[in-house]
Amino acid sequence: MGLNFQQEHEAELMDIVDENDVPIGTAMRPDIYRDLPLHRIVHGMLFDASGRFILQLRSAKKAYKPLHWVTAVSGHPRAGETYEQAAHREGEEELGASLVFLNFRRLFYIDAERPALRRFLGVLEAQFDGIFTLNADEVESVKTVKREELQGMLQDPTEKFHPELRAILVELYGFVVK
């Protein structure tokens, strides 16, 4: 009898990193969120050929921030996995898309709701104009928006954004959040 989707993700072994983002140990995902050591998250920003942003609406099944807009691809790199490898794997798992990521950037992120939760966000970019095969356990839907539309969404209090997406949009793409 195999693991279900949630159990499989909870069983992931992840790297613990130091202040320079160098791995110094490993822990299981539930232990990471219990003990809150410094760790990594990967985000893949997708754009279509016209330069529009492709966003993911997280599945209603997600334990954290369900039905919130997030980068098109996001997740936890597994122990020993690079940000690029994790982004590629997450693209396959979440969107059913084989993506080629470029332009790696890294942010140090402190969660405003849980300040003890600190992590490095590895952000990569890819262009994609194909068809997605969405994993319903991960993704509710995807949406393609122009920069101006996304700026308007950020100002709309009824729109729910994952806090890491907000940080990425402000710090790396020059968006303004009020």
Side-chain angles (χ1 to χ4, degrees):
M1 184 157 177
L3 299 175
N4 70 30
F5 185 82
Q6 187 65 30
Q7 290 170 324
E8 181 180 319
H9 282 327
E10 288 176 0
E12 290 178 335
L13 186 65
M14 296 168 48
D15 284 326
I16 297 170
V17 298
D18 67 14
E19 299 291 333
N20 295 308
D21 197 15
V22 175
I24 57 170
T26 59
M28 298 301 286
R29 186 169 162 178
D31 298 331
I32 294 277
Y33 285 98
R34 182 191 68 225
D35 301 337
L36 302 177
L38 191 55
H39 61 284
R40 298 172 167 166
I41 299 290
V42 68
H43 285 276
M45 294 293 295
L46 295 190
F47 301 90
D48 69 9
S50 299
R52 294 178 296 191
F53 291 80
I54 301 172
L55 302 177
Q56 175 195 132
L57 186 63
R58 291 168 60 88
S59 169
K61 299 175 185 178
K62 298 296 275 186
Y64 181 70
K65 302 292 183 190
L67 301 175
H68 280 62
W69 293 111
V70 71
T71 52
V73 172
S74 64
H76 298 84
R78 294 177 179 156
E81 199 173 40
T82 67
Y83 287 106
E84 293 85 356
Q85 290 167 332
H88 183 77
R89 177 181 49 77
E90 293 287 352
E92 293 278 353
E93 287 177 7
E94 295 175 0
L95 305 176
S98 182
L99 304 164
V100 177
F101 287 97
L102 306 167
N103 194 25
F104 174 77
R105 292 177 285 176
R106 180 176 36 223
L107 296 174
F108 183 74
Y109 177 80
I110 299 173
D111 191 293
E113 295 173 5
R114 299 173 289 173
L117 179 59
R118 303 167 309 124
R119 53 178 54 150
F120 283 100
L121 305 182
V123 183
L124 296 111
E125 296 177 341
Q127 181 181 322
F128 188 76
D129 289 296
I131 303 296
F132 294 119
T133 304
L134 304 181
N135 177 339
D137 288 321
E138 295 275 339
V139 182
E140 194 75 21
S141 65
V142 293
K143 180 177 186 171
T144 304
V145 294
K146 294 179 183 176
R147 182 179 181 88
E148 311 79 58
E149 291 174 274
L150 183 49
Q151 182 62 64
M153 288 172 65
L154 283 166
Q155 304 309 324
D156 183 345
T158 65
E159 292 284 2
K160 296 179 181 176
F161 281 85
H162 191 290
E164 291 174 13
L165 174 58
R166 283 186 184 276
I168 290 166
L169 291 174
V170 169
E171 294 187 39
L172 298 181
Y173 294 94
F175 282 81
V176 177
V177 177
K178 294 179 180 175

